[in-house]
Structure formats: structure tokens, C-alpha cells
Amino acid sequence: MRHRKTTVKLGRKQPHRDAMLAAQVCSLITYGRIRTTVPKAKASRRMAEKMITLGKKGTLAARRQALAELHQEVPVRDLFARLAPGFADRKGGYTRIVRLARRRATDSSEMAILEWTNYVPPAPKEPKAAKADAKPAAEAAAAGAKA
């Protein structure tokens, strides 16, 4: 019986599973949101929320624990400097899972977006038409200089 066994196996052995979840949490820290399957998102969420809790502590021991879990310096630095202070007034629930449509191309698995609750999508890029308008203005200025 699996009473009180909370480890989600994800069809992988422990070292592979730990490395995969650490890589997903590092990507979440770096990009703010990741697209993955629902079981992986749920497993990554547990690790991500524990990393935010360590980041809120801000001690050297907490930084070393986070580095031991994630194995990458740059995301740990971002976690402690940029991300954790943004959750200082929040007591939990740092991530959200948004379910998407099933994957159509291969195995029809449920997909989801895992993101921080304070995630703000980047502003849309300006359309190429605006850049095209800048060219004639520059040409007109050059023509005016020649006259």
C-alpha cells in the first residue's frame, strides 16, 4: 500500500526525475511561465513553491539549499534577488496552473501552463507597418537635406 507516499514518479527513475524538475523550475524562474504536461506542472509546482519559501528566508543556508536543489547559479540568484521579494507579503500559492487543450500531434496528453501568480506577460511587439513608416520619413529628411 502507498499510504503517505507523495512522490509523483512521472515514469522516470529518481535522478532523472530530480534533474527534470530542477530544470523546469529553473526555466520557470528565468521565463516566468512554462508550458508542460499537467502531471509535470503539478510536480514542478511543489518544488517551485519550496524554492520561493527559501528565497523569502534570504539566508546563506537557504541560498545553499536552493543551489543544491536547482544546480544552477543564475536562476538561484534571480530567485533571491528579483522573485522572492515580490512574494514577501504572500503566505503561499505562488504559482498557478492554467490547463490548455490536449496535445494533438503525438500522445494527446493534457497540457498546462505553469506560471507565477504575479506574472505579467510582456507587451506585444509593435507591428512591422510602424517600422515601414519610419523609412519614408528618413528618406524625406535625406531628400530635404539634398535640396
Side-chain angles (χ1 to χ4, degrees), residues 125-140:
K125 296 178 182 176
E126 61 182 60
K128 292 185 179 182
K131 292 180 182 177
D133 292 339
K135 264 187 185 175
E139 290 172 4

Side-chain angles (χ1 to χ4, degrees), residues 35-82:
R35 185 172 179 266
T36 183
T37 62
V38 172
K40 286 181 194 173
K42 287 180 176 181
S44 298
R45 177 176 53 183
R46 289 190 71 201
M47 187 179 217
E49 300 222 358
K50 288 178 183 179
M51 293 301 112
I52 290 292
T53 303
L54 288 175
K56 284 171 60 173
K57 288 180 184 175
T59 62
L60 179 62
R63 185 178 294 264
R64 286 178 176 165
Q65 286 176 341
L67 192 57
E69 286 285 325
L70 299 179
H71 307 291
Q72 294 183 30
E73 277 187 43
V74 176
V76 171
R77 196 177 311 133
D78 284 349
L79 171 70
F80 279 79
R82 177 182 54 87

Side-chain angles (χ1 to χ4, degrees), residues 58-126:
T59 62
L60 179 62
R63 185 178 294 264
R64 286 178 176 165
Q65 286 176 341
L67 192 57
E69 286 285 325
L70 299 179
H71 307 291
Q72 294 183 30
E73 277 187 43
V74 176
V76 171
R77 196 177 311 133
D78 284 349
L79 171 70
F80 279 79
R82 177 182 54 87
L83 209 54
F87 290 112
D89 58 339
R90 197 174 179 102
K91 296 203 182 291
Y94 310 116
T95 58
R96 84 170 59 97
I97 294 176
V98 180
R99 289 177 183 254
L100 302 173
R102 289 183 174 270
R103 190 185 300 164
R104 296 184 70 182
T106 56
D107 61 352
S108 185
S109 62
E110 283 187 273
M111 299 301 290
I113 290 177
L114 176 65
E115 64 184 7
W116 302 114
T117 53
N118 62 1
Y119 176 75
V120 177
K125 296 178 182 176
E126 61 182 60

